[in-house]
Amino acid sequence: KQGETADEAGKRHLVDFTGEWNLSIWALNPDGSKLNASGQATAALTGKDVLQIEYKNIKAQGFDQVFSGSSVVTYSPNTGFSIENQFSGIEGARRFVGEYVPANSLYNFYPAQNIEGETVTGVIRTNVKIKLRTSNPSLVVAETFAMVDGKEIQLQQYRFTR
């Protein structure tokens, strides 16, 4: 909207994520192949400038375990946008801070803490960033990138469709 700041636009666009979603996921294995998974997600505004996303019934090829998790996207005037992700099978929550880029309908998030170790598929995590974007009311894409051997590579993608 005309005269709207990037933060105001980002807060307004949190509603774009609400509702029931089907998930199509891929994650990069250390050998460069892709692990595919699918599941469902439900997203709702749970407070002023707070979006809660619940992931359920995530089934990944080669894993007997069914995964679940959550993401909480918030906005604070002091710290801007943040996202905290927590998934079954991964110890502790991962918190990222970032900004909204109106020209691209995109949220960029960067680690708010030291994130070490490996992804669930075994890729070393360093300099991780998350991009969360809306393409249209029926499609949201979340992508994770990391620096590996000095090059930025995409580690995973979550496609939310209705």
Side-chain angles (χ1 to χ4, degrees):
K1 291 181 176 181
Q2 189 172 0
E4 186 176 55
T5 68
D7 285 355
E8 289 166 342
K11 291 190 298 182
R12 182 171 50 82
H13 281 287
L14 288 177
V15 73
D16 295 346
F17 297 94
T18 61
E20 299 289 324
W21 299 91
N22 294 309
L23 291 176
S24 176
I25 304 165
W26 65 261
L28 195 63
N29 284 310
D31 66 5
S33 65
K34 290 182 179 177
L35 169 76
N36 293 301
S38 61
Q40 291 83 41
T42 302
L45 294 173
T46 59
K48 183 174 174 10
D49 305 325
V50 179
L51 175 72
Q52 174 86 31
I53 305 170
E54 295 292 333
Y55 307 97
K56 52 192 175 260
N57 301 320
I58 299 174
K59 298 177 182 115
Q61 67 186 61
F63 287 84
D64 292 332
Q65 177 184 2
V66 176
F67 296 93
S68 62
S70 65
S71 294
V72 179
V73 180
T74 60
Y75 174 79
S76 162
N78 296 331
T79 58
F81 290 94
S82 66
I83 187 169
E84 185 171 291
N85 299 318
Q86 187 152 10
F87 287 90
S88 59
I90 300 173
E91 189 176 320
R94 306 280 188 237
R95 188 168 181 275
F96 298 80
V97 295
E99 77 276 342
Y100 181 72
V101 182
N104 300 329
S105 298
L106 170 75
Y107 298 83
N108 284 316
F109 294 102
Y110 305 92
Q113 65 202 44
N114 188 20
I115 297 178
E116 296 180 354
E118 299 179 346
T119 65
V120 72
T121 58
V123 175
I124 301 297
R125 265 193 268 240
T126 56
N127 300 322
V128 177
K129 73 177 175 182
I130 297 172
K131 292 184 177 186
L132 183 61
R133 60 186 159 86
T134 56
S135 296
N136 63 57
S138 298
L139 176 64
V140 171
V141 178
E143 299 166 307
T144 304
F145 297 85
M147 294 301 289
V148 176
D149 297 328
K151 294 191 306 192
E152 183 178 82
I153 61 163
Q154 187 174 356
L155 296 181
Q156 64 185 7
Q157 181 184 77
Y158 282 57
R159 289 180 63 86
F160 296 73
T161 56
R162 298 189 211 260

